[in-house]
Amino acid sequence: MRLLAALLLFAAAAAVAAAAELPEFREAPAFRNGAGCAGAPTIHIAMTLDGTYLRGSLAGVLSVLRHAACPESIAFHFVASSASPARRLARLRAALAAAFPTLPATVHRFDARLVRGKISSSVRRALDQPLNYARIYLADILPRSVPRVLYLDSDLLVVDDVARLWATDLGPHAALAAPEYCNANFTLYFTDAFWRHPAYSSVFANRTRAPCYFNTGVMVIDLDRWRAGGYTAKLEYWMDVQKQEARIYELGSLPPFLLVFAGDVKAVQHRWNQHGLGGDNVAGQCRELHPGPVSLLHWSGKGKPWLRLDAGRPCPLDALWAPYDLLRRRGARDDLLAAVA
């Protein structure tokens, strides 16, 4: 009986280990700097790194490198949760190295305890994960030798030279630049309890402009100004209000950013965040592109292209993501990968 129990325990442990294994990824093509890249500035890009979104992250990295004039001048900073076991983190590093053996990249650990007790349940479970809040702490996570960073979500493709976005002029005061969407109904991002409370709603009274919605999946951040302005503490303040005083929003880490920055954001052209391609946060239905040129495709919302493609129920625009998918499939050819080389 003891032997049988031991065998069953071993089998269960093996099953858990197998479930924790990450899929295999193909090596991406190598992209080199062109002749005009001498003296090009280093572009710092931050993304999160976890098993759930790893496939999206690798596709995003490939898209950035594929369309950059100076790909070897890009330094990636991947943020992984401190709650991930060491073995799991090693697998993530190995997957990253297998796909991009020569990529200048650093993996930073995010202390998930920083947001313990600060996260409120939202309309979608993925929005409640501690790593979703890591963008709030980039000024603490990244070294001070990095004065500016471009934060990118893990469910997007860049189809233009990212140097153009990196070169955004933040002006004399702004700490953050992002595309704004002033036609969106700003009031819907907060609850009635927020708007009824004069001390809460008055936060927008002295902003540079009327507050507008912006998506936090694509942001150019001046880290020196962020630190000088104490913006991490300001974001944490609103998370504490939400958790301890009143439920003032429903959408994870986005509303605190709106409360702190809306109206003071340096606006970027809409082409740099064609967001919402994943549908809403409930159904994840198919959507079309917004009118106008496209430099970045963003599958924000519930529907992710790799999941819809695997399920055999892709949306039309998911076909644009497929050529950047580095997932290795048995017996599959690399024809799609060759299309982006």
Side-chain angles (χ1 to χ4, degrees), residues 40-341:
T42 300
I43 297 173
H44 294 276
I45 296 178
M47 302 176 72
T48 57
L49 187 67
D50 71 335
T52 302
Y53 284 87
L54 177 61
R55 194 167 159 192
S57 295
L58 297 181
V61 171
L62 176 56
S63 74
V64 169
L65 298 175
R66 166 65 182 83
H67 296 281
C70 304
E72 293 179 290
S73 300
I74 301 174
F76 283 88
H77 301 266
F78 294 97
V79 181
S81 173
S82 62
S84 297
R87 187 174 299 178
R88 181 70 166 176
L89 182 60
R91 292 192 183 104
L92 290 170
R93 291 178 184 270
L96 180 62
F100 301 100
T102 62
L103 184 72
T106 306
V107 178
H108 306 267
R109 302 300 297 271
F110 167 61
D111 188 353
R113 294 173 297 180
L114 290 170
V115 292
R116 185 174 297 166
K118 291 183 170 67
I119 298 177
S120 300
S121 60
S122 63
V123 296
R124 186 158 58 90
R125 186 177 179 183
L127 301 177
D128 303 337
Q129 302 307 307
L131 200 57
N132 190 44
Y133 291 79
R135 69 196 79 189
I136 292 174
Y137 298 91
L138 288 176
D140 301 316
I141 296 171
L142 302 184
R144 289 185 174 265
S145 58
V146 179
R148 170 188 283 219
V149 70
L150 170 59
Y151 175 82
L152 297 177
D153 269 350
S154 298
D155 53 359
L156 55 75
L157 295 177
V158 177
V159 293
D160 198 346
D161 188 351
V162 76
R164 297 188 175 98
L165 178 58
W166 176 258
T168 300
D169 181 3
L170 272 72
H173 304 297
L176 187 152
E180 291 184 302
Y181 304 89
C182 296
N183 291 330
N185 188 341
F186 190 78
T187 62
L188 296 180
Y189 291 94
F190 304 97
T191 64
D192 291 341
F194 171 83
W195 293 112
R196 286 196 302 263
H197 198 299
Y200 297 159
S201 56
S202 64
V203 68
F204 301 114
N206 296 316
R207 299 293 166 90
T208 305
R209 304 180 313 280
C212 294
Y213 160 74
F214 66 94
N215 180 278
T216 58
V218 180
M219 298 184 290
V220 181
I221 302 173
D222 186 312
L223 294 174
D224 291 336
R225 291 180 184 176
W226 183 290
R227 297 183 186 104
Y231 287 115
T232 296
K234 293 176 181 178
L235 288 158
E236 287 181 324
Y237 166 78
W238 287 110
M239 293 167 65
D240 288 336
V241 169
Q242 163 83 348
K243 194 69 175 178
Q244 301 174 16
E245 297 183 17
R247 190 166 183 85
I248 57 175
Y249 55 79
E250 303 287 351
L251 283 174
S253 63
L254 168 65
F257 272 88
L258 297 180
L259 288 163
V260 173
F261 291 105
D264 289 333
V265 171
K266 177 67 174 181
V268 176
Q269 288 181 313
H270 289 175
R271 67 187 302 153
W272 285 106
N273 195 349
Q274 285 269 353
H275 67 295
L277 303 185
D280 62 17
N281 283 304
V282 179
Q285 71 273 38
C286 297
R287 287 185 175 172
E288 297 180 354
L289 289 173
H290 306 293
V294 180
S295 293
L296 186 149
L297 300 158
H298 188 185
W299 279 264
S300 58
K302 183 179 180 180
K304 303 306 174 189
W306 57 93
L307 296 179
R308 297 193 295 215
L309 287 163
D310 288 353
R313 297 191 298 272
C315 293
L317 290 175
D318 296 344
L320 300 176
W321 185 90
Y324 297 89
D325 186 9
L326 290 172
L327 181 69
R328 183 183 297 279
R329 296 178 176 86
R330 289 185 180 179
R333 298 173 61 188
D334 287 350
D335 294 346
L336 288 178
L337 187 58
V340 301

